[in-house]
Amino acid sequence: MTGQIAAACSARAKAIARSLTRHRLVFVQVGAAFEPLRAGILDGLRGVNVSVGQRSDWKELGADANTVLVTDLEQCVETAAEVLGEVRELVFQLLDEGKAVCLISRAPRLSFRSVPGSSILEDAALVTLPLLDVSELSLASGEYPPAGCLWPSVAFGSPISVDTFRDVLAEAGQGTIAALDHALYEVSPKSVEGLEFLAAREVEALRGAGILLIDEGGRPALALPRQVKELREALAGHVSETVAPANSLAEVTSGLWYIERRIRNAVRASAMTKFSSGWRSSIVGGLKDEILRRAQLDSVVTAKSVSDLRDPLEWLTLGELMDIVKSDRCNNLGLGSAVWRKFQEQVLPIRNRLAHVRILKADDAEIITMWASLIRQRVQ
């Protein structure tokens, strides 16, 4: 290990050690951007290294150590939630014995499944590794730092490239990727203004990966702004090639299914009460011809009018259904207009992501679960 790498490792190990002294339980994200420093940081912490796969042996392995380093917590991202629960119990046992525990992960906290009850990830203090400072590179007089040198993987490894970014993005998790995609492509494709709309946990994940830093004004900014083109290209490639479903897909799908079916049924009941036998044509208003066209193209080829359809509401988009809910024909189904406005702001984007087979964001399941509960209680 060169002197530069050793010094960089030592500085970051000391920062983690200080946090362990204060909190005894720490989470730190050490991914691809920091790969050249990983071994040196672990050595500098002077603890015993343990793996999630050998968790049954943690007590024995850590018997004579003051600090236990869980070196591959990212393994719990793909396992059942019960594994993270087992890790929590084992960590608490170690803490009860007076030991300090450092949870080291290539994946951010945002990528892990939520665990009922106490969460080991929420209980842990967060340490975000700082990027390299130019002063840590020991450049000769008149020598310019290489592009992307704030990343240890570039400063002490290979030159920055699209592949470098793809290695980092591969560890970020689908929720974080979806948030970055929204920020860099959907909010403003020609700028990075969308970074301001990232949630706190999304910023945390991207900072931990080395993609973001916090500027002097306290705002998230790209760590390597001159390489934004390579980042965008790597992000586009990663999103396009992602074919594995998110862990939350089933939860989001079933929640949306319930929400839409419940609302359509409530609109149907309201229409039947108000319009009696003529409810089919009366409730959809000016959409009659379009609904009939959709139904004929889909499966009801012999229908002559919307009155022939079992339920014309089933051929409405969620946005069109909301227009009917908020109209005089349904009077908001008994809820305030502000509630439905918030519903559209939060649920429609998720519905669209799912309909177009796009990557789900990290909080989509939580949002859908919340709205499903509200609809269940308030929409009869």
Side-chain angles (χ1 to χ4, degrees):
M1 184 183 296
T2 67
Q4 295 174 4
I5 298 178
C9 292
S10 176
R12 285 150 185 82
K14 287 179 180 177
I16 298 172
R18 285 194 297 270
S19 187
L20 280 169
T21 300
R22 297 189 196 104
H23 306 288
R24 294 181 55 233
L25 176 60
V26 164
F27 175 92
V28 57
Q29 188 176 340
V30 187
F34 296 90
E35 188 61 38
L37 306 185
R38 170 179 282 269
I41 290 173
L42 294 180
D43 289 343
L45 291 173
R46 302 182 184 281
V48 60
N49 296 352
V50 299
S51 167
V52 170
Q54 58 181 173
R55 56 189 180 279
S56 60
D57 299 326
W58 284 7
K59 187 172 183 179
E60 179 181 352
L61 291 170
D64 299 324
N66 294 321
T67 302
V68 176
L69 312 175
V70 182
T71 60
D72 58 355
L73 192 69
E74 70 274 1
Q75 298 298 322
C76 293
V77 171
E78 298 300 331
T79 59
E82 289 77 10
V83 174
L84 196 57
E86 291 178 21
V87 168
R88 176 191 62 194
E89 294 304 319
L90 291 168
V91 167
F92 286 164
Q93 291 176 21
L94 292 170
L95 294 175
D96 289 343
E97 294 172 4
K99 302 182 187 302
V101 180
C102 183
L103 305 173
I104 300 171
S105 173
R106 294 181 181 275
R109 292 196 292 183
L110 192 63
S111 294
F112 293 84
R113 291 181 174 91
S114 59
V115 177
S118 175
S119 170
I120 192 70
L121 297 172
E122 298 299 328
D123 294 337
L126 175 69
V127 174
T128 300
L129 294 183
L131 299 173
L132 290 177
D133 188 89
V134 174
S135 63
E136 295 181 278
L137 301 181
S138 301
L139 297 173
S141 177
E143 183 181 0
Y144 291 99
C149 66
L150 297 186
W151 281 7
S153 64
V154 175
F156 305 126
S158 304
I160 193 76
S161 68
V162 172
D163 288 340
T164 310
F165 279 106
R166 296 189 73 159
D167 290 342
V168 172
L169 294 174
E171 300 173 340
Q174 287 195 24
T176 305
I177 293 296
L180 185 61
D181 180 37
H182 177 71
L184 293 185
Y185 277 103
E186 297 176 7
V187 175
S188 180
K190 298 295 184 181
S191 72
V192 294
E193 295 177 359
L195 297 177
E196 297 183 18
F197 297 96
L198 292 169
R201 276 298 171 88
E202 294 163 351
V203 172
E204 173 194 307
L206 292 166
R207 283 187 67 200
I211 293 173
L212 295 185
L213 49 74
I214 302 301
D215 66 17
E216 295 178 354
R219 298 179 297 271
L222 291 180
L224 308 178
R226 295 187 178 183
Q227 283 71 51
V228 64
K229 181 178 179 181
E230 290 90 341
L231 173 59
R232 287 181 185 274
E233 185 176 342
L235 178 62
H238 179 87
V239 171
S240 178
E241 294 170 11
T242 298
V243 295
N247 292 330
S248 62
L249 179 61
E251 186 177 359
V252 172
T253 302
S254 61
L256 281 170
W257 171 274
Y258 174 82
I259 288 169
E260 290 199 36
R261 298 292 294 181
R262 182 85 173 211
I263 294 173
R264 291 178 199 275
N265 185 48
V267 170
R268 180 178 182 272
S270 177
M272 292 177 69
T273 300
K274 188 169 186 176
F275 301 111
S276 188
S277 60
W279 73 271
R280 289 176 173 84
S281 59
S282 298
I283 193 63
V284 296
L287 291 171
K288 290 191 291 289
D289 292 342
E290 177 59 21
I291 288 174
L292 180 61
R293 185 188 71 83
R294 294 174 188 174
Q296 289 172 335
L297 289 173
D298 187 10
S299 58
V300 194
V301 294
T302 60
K304 301 297 183 183
S305 71
V306 293
S307 298
D308 296 330
L309 303 177
R310 173 180 53 78
D311 188 348
L313 299 174
E314 293 192 353
W315 277 273
L316 293 173
T317 67
L318 183 55
E320 292 167 342
L321 183 65
M322 285 298 97
D323 290 339
I324 293 176
V325 167
K326 295 184 296 182
S327 71
D328 294 338
R329 285 162 280 171
C330 284
N331 295 318
N332 292 312
L333 294 177
L335 296 180
S337 57
V339 175
W340 290 117
R341 184 165 57 251
K342 194 67 175 177
F343 174 88
Q344 287 186 266
E345 290 175 0
Q346 293 189 340
V347 175
L348 276 179
I350 301 174
R351 176 67 170 83
N352 291 337
R353 276 195 286 277
L354 192 62
H356 297 106
V357 201
R358 295 166 59 200
I359 294 177
L360 296 176
K361 299 182 74 173
D363 60 350
D364 284 351
E366 180 181 351
I367 291 171
I368 293 300
T369 299
M370 182 272 292
W371 278 108
S373 176
L374 186 146
I375 296 297
R376 180 180 296 107
Q377 297 172 24
R378 303 282 298 279
V379 177
Q380 303 300 320

